[in-house]
Amino acid sequence: MEKYPFYIQKEYQRIKTIEVPIGDIPIGGTNPIRIQSMTNTSTLDTQATVDQAMRLFDAGCDYVRITAQGPREASNLKEIKEELHRRGYKKPLIADIHYSPKAAEIAAAIVEKVRINPGNYIGPHLGKMEYTEKEYQEELEIIRDNIKPLLGICRQNGTALRIGSNHGSLSKRVLSRYGDTADGMVASALEFIEICEDLDFNRMVISMKASNPRVMTDANRLLAMKMLQRGRVYPIHLGVTEAGDGEDGRIKSAAGIGALLAEGIGDTIRVSLTEEPEAEIPVASFLKQMTTAFPLNPIAFSPKNYYYESFLKEKFISHAINGLGGKNFPLVIGQQSPADIIIVSDLPFRTHHIHTQSFPSPNEIAKIPKELPLVIHSDHPRELIALRAAVIYLRSEGMNQPIILKRSSNESNSEKFITESAAVMGPAFQEGLGQAIWLENPMLNPDHLVSISFAILQAAKARISRTEYIACPSCGRTLFNIQPTLQKIKERTSHLKGLTIAVMGCIVNGPGEMAGADYGYVGAGKGKVTLYKGHTPVKRNIPEEMAVEELIDLIRQNGDWIEP
C-alpha cells in the first residue's frame, strides 16, 4: 500500500479510452465528459418527442436517447430526426432497444448510436436456469448470428453501439453461471465485446447500471480493470438506474457517479430521475464540473496500479468512543434535532481535527491521543480521493479511533451542494471510511443539512432511516403517469422505515430492475398495474386508479404496514 501523499499529489487522471465517433460529438479519448438524457414521450408522437428533445439539447445535453421498443417506433425515429434537423438541432440521437433485434437494425440506419441490453438479446434457452457448457456456447453462437446483421448496418452507417449491461436484466444464461452479481454484469458485457471485436466492429460504448450505487460502482471498477487487462478500453457510460426523484434521487445518483468520476472512470453520464428529463441536466453538470478543476488530458492507468480488488470489501470496525464507532451505525452531527449529536459551535466532547489540505507528518500523527475521535475535513480539491487516502493512511499507522468525516461549504445553490456532498460522502460511507457524517453550510437551513446527511447514509446503505424508493425515470414505454403516482405512493408509505418499494413504468424495467424491493408497482398495460411481493406478481392488471390502494392492502396483508 502506497503512503498517503501518493494518492492526492498526482494530477487528476482519467482512464484512457478509445475515442468513438458519435455523429459530430465523439466520446472517450481526450474528449470532455458527455451529458445525456432520455425522452419520456411516445416515440410515435413525433411533435412531443421533438419538443422534448429540443428542451434537453437547450438544457445542455450532448446526446438524447429515445426508446424504440418495436419496428414502428424505430422507423419513426427518421421523422423525429428530420424534424429536429429542420429546426436546427443536429446533435446525436440514441435509440434505446430491448427485445427487438429488428427495431435495432431499423434504428441503426437512422440515428447515431443504438443501445442494446445483452440480457434481452436472448438465445434459444429462454427460461432455463441450468446450462451445460455446450448449451452455454450454443447460445453465444446464436447471439453472434443474431447480432451480425446489426453490426453490418452500424458499420455501413457509422453508427455506434452501446452495450448496456444492467444489474436486473442479466440473461438466464449469465445468471446460471455468475448469479445476479457485478461479475455477471461484466461477464455479460465482455461476451458481447468479444463477439463484436471478432466481427470486426469496435465502435462501442459500455455501461454497467444498477439501482444500488454500490453494485454500480463495483461493476464499473471491475469492468475498467478487465478492459485494462485486455488492452482495449472502450468508453464507459455511467448512471444509477431507477434512482427516484427529489433529493433522494439526486443523492443516490451522485453517490454512484461521483465515486467513479473521482477515480477517472466515465466518459458520459446520465442522471436518471423520476421527473421531467430536463431536471436531470443540472445534476449531471454539477458532477461533471467536479472534474474540471483537473487536466482533461488522460494519463492511462495500467492494470498494475488499478486493482478492483484493492477497494475495501469489509468495513473497518473502529474502537467505540462517546457512542461513535465500534459496531454502532454511523451517526449524524448537526445543529438541530433529529441529529444524533447536536452541536452549537463545536462538538460536545474533545476531538482531534485533521485537514486533508495540510496533512500531518508521521511524527505529528504519532502524537495524536488515541482516545480522541478524529475529525477529517474534506478540504482538498480531490475530496473523495483525499478522504480515502487519509483514512487508509491513518489506519495503516494504527489510528483505530472513530473518524468523523466533515464537509464545509458556503455553496448557496442547494442542488449543487447536495450533489457535491453526495458525490464525496456517499462513496466514503459505502466503503466504511467514517463513523459519523458532519455537513456544515451557513447558507442552508440546519434541519436541511441533517436531512441531507441521513439521505446520504441511506443511499450508501450505511444506515437505513426512511422508506427506500426505486423508481424509473419513465420513457416512451411507460404505461401510466409515473411521476404523480410516485408522489401518491410516497405520501402514503413514507413512514414505513426500512421498507423498499419499487415503482416501475413497464415490464422491461420492471421485475428484473427492482433490485430486492419488498414491493413492486409495475406498469402491465395501458392504465393497468401489476403488484409484486418481492419478484413475485401477486395482483395482476389492476386499474391504475385503484392500484395505490391495492398496494397499501398488499402491504397490510403481509404484516408490513404500521399506522402513520
Side-chain angles (χ1 to χ4, degrees):
M1 180 65 68
E2 296 282 349
K3 290 296 185 182
Y4 171 75
F6 168 81
Y7 289 93
I8 62 169
Q9 288 181 359
K10 62 183 181 180
E11 290 184 334
Y12 170 72
Q13 300 177 60
R14 282 170 58 193
I15 293 178
K16 188 171 185 179
T17 60
I18 298 166
E19 182 176 278
V20 173
I22 300 177
D24 294 330
I25 304 180
I27 190 175
T30 60
N31 293 291
I33 294 164
R34 305 300 191 186
I35 293 173
Q36 59 183 275
S37 184
M38 186 172 182
T39 59
N40 61 12
T41 53
S42 168
T43 308
L44 296 176
D45 188 336
T46 301
Q47 193 58 54
T49 304
V50 166
D51 289 344
Q52 193 171 74
M54 290 192 303
R55 291 197 298 271
L56 285 168
F57 285 133
D58 289 343
C61 264
D62 296 297
Y63 316 125
V64 167
R65 184 154 45 111
I66 304 170
T67 187
Q69 60 266 51
R72 286 181 64 216
E73 289 82 3
S75 296
N76 201 52
L77 292 171
K78 184 174 185 292
E79 297 297 324
I80 292 168
K81 184 176 180 178
E82 288 177 351
E83 181 61 23
L84 282 167
H85 282 203
R86 278 193 290 271
R87 299 194 186 194
Y89 291 82
K90 297 184 178 181
K91 286 184 177 181
L93 298 179
I94 304 169
D96 191 80
I97 310 292
H98 277 267
Y99 296 113
S100 175
K102 182 62 178 176
E105 292 164 18
I106 294 169
I110 300 170
V111 299
E112 287 79 7
K113 181 179 167 189
V114 170
R115 183 265 186 181
I116 62 171
N117 184 331
N120 296 144
Y121 244 84
I122 301 170
H125 300 298
L126 176 63
K128 286 178 63 68
M129 282 307 295
E130 293 184 7
Y131 285 74
T132 65
E133 182 60 30
K134 181 182 177 183
E135 288 172 336
Y136 197 97
Q137 295 304 321
E138 283 176 351
E139 187 162 307
L140 281 175
E141 282 302 312
I142 291 179
I143 289 171
R144 173 192 169 95
D145 291 341
N146 288 344
I147 203 173
K148 189 174 181 178
L150 172 62
L151 299 185
I153 296 168
C154 286
R155 193 181 296 108
Q156 182 179 353
N157 290 274
T159 307
L161 186 68
R162 170 151 79 92
I163 297 171
S165 186
N166 280 19
H167 181 226
S169 302
L170 298 177
S171 69
K172 296 292 191 293
R173 174 178 49 79
V174 171
L175 288 170
S176 73
R177 181 167 291 186
Y178 299 96
D180 196 6
T181 62
D183 296 82
M185 295 166 67
V186 174
S188 180
L190 289 175
E191 288 176 351
F192 271 64
I193 289 172
E194 289 167 3
I195 289 171
C196 291
E197 288 178 341
D198 192 47
L199 294 170
D200 195 31
F201 184 84
N202 59 15
R203 191 173 283 202
M204 288 181 278
V205 178
I206 317 298
S207 69
M208 305 276 112
K209 288 192 173 185
S211 60
N212 183 327
R214 184 60 188 262
V215 173
M216 175 261 195
T217 52
D218 280 353
N220 278 282
R221 287 164 177 160
L222 178 58
L223 172 70
M225 187 189 76
K226 292 289 187 183
M227 289 199 295
L228 284 164
Q229 291 172 342
R230 294 179 79 252
R232 293 186 66 81
V233 186
Y234 294 97
I236 296 175
H237 168 75
L238 301 181
V240 176
T241 61
E242 290 85 42
D245 66 349
E247 289 183 358
D248 289 345
R250 286 156 174 78
I251 287 168
K252 192 183 292 187
S253 292
I257 296 170
L260 294 163
L261 291 180
E263 294 160 18
I265 298 173
D267 301 277
T268 174
I269 58 178
R270 189 230 171 153
V271 173
S272 298
L273 299 176
T274 312
E275 301 177 20
E276 289 305 302
E278 301 96 301
E280 300 174 355
I281 312 309
V283 188
S285 298
F286 295 144
L287 290 167
K288 177 179 176 179
Q289 289 167 18
M290 293 182 75
T291 70
T292 57
F294 313 106
L296 278 173
N297 290 331
I299 304 167
F301 281 82
S302 69
K304 66 182 180 182
N305 68 9
Y306 186 87
Y307 287 108
Y308 164 74
E309 289 85 354
S310 70
F311 289 91
L312 302 176
K313 296 293 185 179
E314 294 185 8
K315 294 180 180 178
F316 177 83
I317 303 296
S318 72
H319 298 327
I321 303 175
N322 293 321
L324 289 169
K327 294 185 178 181
N328 298 309
F329 49 69
L331 300 185
V332 170
I333 296 174
Q335 293 178 306
Q336 301 286 341
S337 179
D340 300 299
I341 298 172
I342 300 174
I343 57 173
V344 178
S345 59
D346 205 349
L347 288 172
F349 47 81
R350 290 180 62 225
T351 57
H352 186 90
H353 289 245
I354 294 175
H355 294 259
T356 55
Q357 281 276 45
S358 54
F359 200 74
S361 68
N363 287 337
E364 292 170 327
I365 288 173
K367 296 175 183 177
I368 298 174
K370 293 191 176 182
E371 70 275 8
L372 296 183
L374 301 175
V375 178
I376 300 183
H377 297 252
S378 68
D379 50 5
H380 190 278
R382 297 190 68 186
E383 289 184 74
L384 175 59
I385 300 302
L387 280 177
R388 181 187 291 146
V391 173
I392 290 173
Y393 181 70
L394 289 167
R395 297 307 189 203
S396 71
E397 293 295 312
M399 306 297 286
N400 294 331
Q401 57 263 62
I403 289 174
I404 299 166
L405 300 183
K406 182 177 182 182
R407 184 171 194 271
S408 299
S409 173
N410 290 311
E411 177 58 60
S412 59
N413 183 318
S414 175
E415 187 173 44
K416 184 176 183 183
F417 174 78
I418 289 167
T419 302
E420 292 176 344
S421 296
V424 175
M425 294 297 191
F429 282 92
Q430 283 179 31
E431 297 169 25
L433 300 181
Q435 286 68 55
I437 181 172
W438 185 357
L439 299 181
E440 187 177 67
N441 186 337
M443 308 301 291
L444 299 183
N445 182 283
D447 282 338
H448 193 192
L449 295 174
V450 171
S451 177
I452 295 166
S453 299
F454 277 112
I456 289 173
L457 294 180
Q458 175 110 357
K461 308 297 183 187
R463 178 177 176 181
I464 305 302
S465 59
R466 56 186 72 180
T467 314
E468 179 87 4
Y469 296 96
I470 299 169
C472 68
S474 85
C475 66
R477 296 186 300 267
T478 301
L479 300 170
F480 63 92
N481 200 341
I482 194 169
Q483 293 176 29
T485 298
L486 176 60
Q487 292 308 311
K488 288 178 185 176
I489 291 173
K490 280 189 164 186
E491 288 169 7
R492 299 293 304 278
T493 64
S494 60
H495 63 289
L496 301 175
K497 175 182 173 181
L499 213 60
T500 300
I501 299 172
V503 183
M504 313 298 288
C506 67
I507 59 170
V508 170
N509 281 333
E513 300 287 358
M514 294 195 299
D518 299 294
Y519 296 92
Y521 182 111
V522 180
K526 188 66 175 176
K528 299 291 185 181
V529 172
T530 293
L531 300 179
Y532 287 72
K533 177 69 176 75
H535 281 193
T536 303
V538 292
K539 295 187 177 185
R540 298 179 183 272
N541 297 317
I542 301 165
E544 180 183 352
E545 59 272 18
M546 299 170 57
V548 173
E549 287 302 324
E550 291 286 337
L551 173 64
I552 303 305
D553 286 343
L554 179 62
I555 296 172
R556 281 196 174 99
Q557 290 166 18
N558 284 274
D560 290 326
W561 182 262
I562 58 173
E563 293 302 326

